[in-house]
Amino acid sequence: MAAHRRRPRRERQGPAHFPVGCIEDERGAEDALDDEPRRGRRAEFRSSDRRGCHARAEGRTGAQAGREPRGANHPTAYRALPPFPDIRGSCPGPIRQRVHRTPLQEHGTVRVCRNATPGCNLQPPASPLCPRPRNPTHSFPADHPLEIDMRTVRMLGNCGVDVIDLPDPDPDPATGDEVVVQVMSSPLCGSERHAWDGPSRMGANNVLNAGHEGAGIVAKARGSKYVREGDRVVLHAAAPCGSCRYCVAGHWVLCDRPPGRRFPGNHSQYVVVNERSCLPLADDISFETGALFGDAVGTPFRAIKRLGVTGFDTVLITGQGPIGLAATMLCRFLNARTIVLDINPFRLEQGRQCGADVCVNPAEEPDIRARLAEIAGPRGIDVALECSAAPEAQTLCLDALRKSGRMALVGVSGTGPTIDTMQHFTLKEIEVIGTWYSAPTDHEELEALVRRGLPAGDMVTHRMGIEQAPEAFDLFFGGEAAKVVLEPWD
């Protein structure tokens, strides 16, 4: 059979250490387990009748095998595995290997019985790199391929979410511009509500979840012009073509011909994205903070920058979800006076902790417009940032703005406010803009703000592993959390 070599990750260096008997072996289990590992030898992966990749440790160097020897920095050099722990017990039947992944480290291996062999009492210990192996006593059918699977969130609609196994994705060689990113942080966004409580499950174009914020490490970058394997990146939600007039101007989210795919969505251990969507993340910025740059912090930052907010302004912010909290934090960082509104007491308190000067619950005020006029004083409200997506709040912002005031519609809404064109626009001459997402030019500015002390991570109230995704969505959309972040490798 033709041998082929599997391309590994960039971070692993050095030789491979495989116990000879740890791969599917037709000998008795006790004989296989007694084999000593051959350290420092090359390992080849062979394919057999589409039954997955099987490793055989061979005592050959690259030169002896008739190929060029490969150094530790060669892109296909294998990386060192730690010694595999001994397996206690015995099994009269054949055995095979199950591989579990951990971030930025080598594979931990757990050997299990291929069939439910009578008399099997193998007790596979947890690898130090995989302390919680998935289904360590699972029995594989005889024709089950040895695959390395990732975990991903699947949004089922009707407020349902589950977590499933998928084969690790690969870039599409036909496009030549896709990369695979190992997702280290994937925040939940309020715009995902439409997929979460929609009437049907996601599945169009093989997209299984609506995750679009994230940061991670490039795992596969075959022929990429912009990133290399091992690069730390922020995943921008837009996939720009790079040549239309909007992309040239830096407005990626307005691209006329967005290329590529985001499979299966950022709420996964690995995701396929267009290489242009990967923005570099500096080493001194955490993955969690970087994941907030694209949308949660980046979207209000773009609106605030376009409106020219300064320390002389009084700013009204309606809604204290993740976008509203980030807007509050940014305006406070710019020394603007901030008035925040929300009907959720928990999120209103989060706004106070993020630096709001005045917090008001509209449900407790008999006349909210009169109350805002009292707080703002004779100068009035200079800037309004509508982050709740509620039509009533949009109308309130238009009413509360002073003459020649500025306003941004940041929240995603399917309906709009009640507009009096004469009173709101003609006589007051206000300026209203919309903001859909951040621009790539905002990325370095946000990094600079974090280095100067912007506490972007303070808006995160819950960090949960990918297996807790159903609880995370219930918590987030139930209004019991501010910003929830999934950590796929926790």
Side-chain angles (χ1 to χ4, degrees), residues 91-94 112-121 137-142:
C91 177
V112 297
C113 185
R114 187 206 293 180
N115 298 306
T117 306
C120 174
N121 64 352
T137 58
H138 177 72
S139 297
F140 293 87

Side-chain angles (χ1 to χ4, degrees), residues 24-29 91-96 112-115 117 122:
E24 182 179 64
D25 196 319
E26 298 305 327
R27 298 171 296 162
C91 177
I95 60 171
R96 69 179 303 148
V112 297
C113 185
R114 187 206 293 180
N115 298 306
T117 306
L122 284 179

Side-chain angles (χ1 to χ4, degrees), residues 220-243:
K220 299 177 183 178
R222 300 169 184 169
S224 173
K225 302 176 183 177
Y226 301 103
V227 295
R228 297 182 302 173
E229 294 177 4
D231 285 354
R232 305 172 82 248
V233 295
V234 170
L235 299 175
H236 197 276
C241 71
S243 58

Side-chain angles (χ1 to χ4, degrees), residues 13-19 37-45 55 57-58 77-82 106:
Q13 301 291 338
H17 299 163
F18 285 93
R38 300 181 182 179
R39 304 183 183 278
R41 306 292 180 86
R42 295 177 55 82
E44 290 189 348
F45 286 84
E58 298 185 359
Y78 284 91
R79 275 74 99 177
L81 278 171
E106 267 297 343

Side-chain angles (χ1 to χ4, degrees), residues 11 25 87 173 202 215 231 285 298 308 391 417 465:
E11 298 83 31
D25 196 319
I87 288 184
M202 294 189 66
D231 285 354
I285 307 294

Side-chain angles (χ1 to χ4, degrees), residues 309-313 329-338 357:
V309 175
T310 70
F312 297 104
D313 291 322
M329 191 182 302
L330 288 162
C331 289
R332 185 68 184 88
F333 193 76
L334 295 173
N335 287 324
R337 186 186 182 211
T338 55
D357 294 290

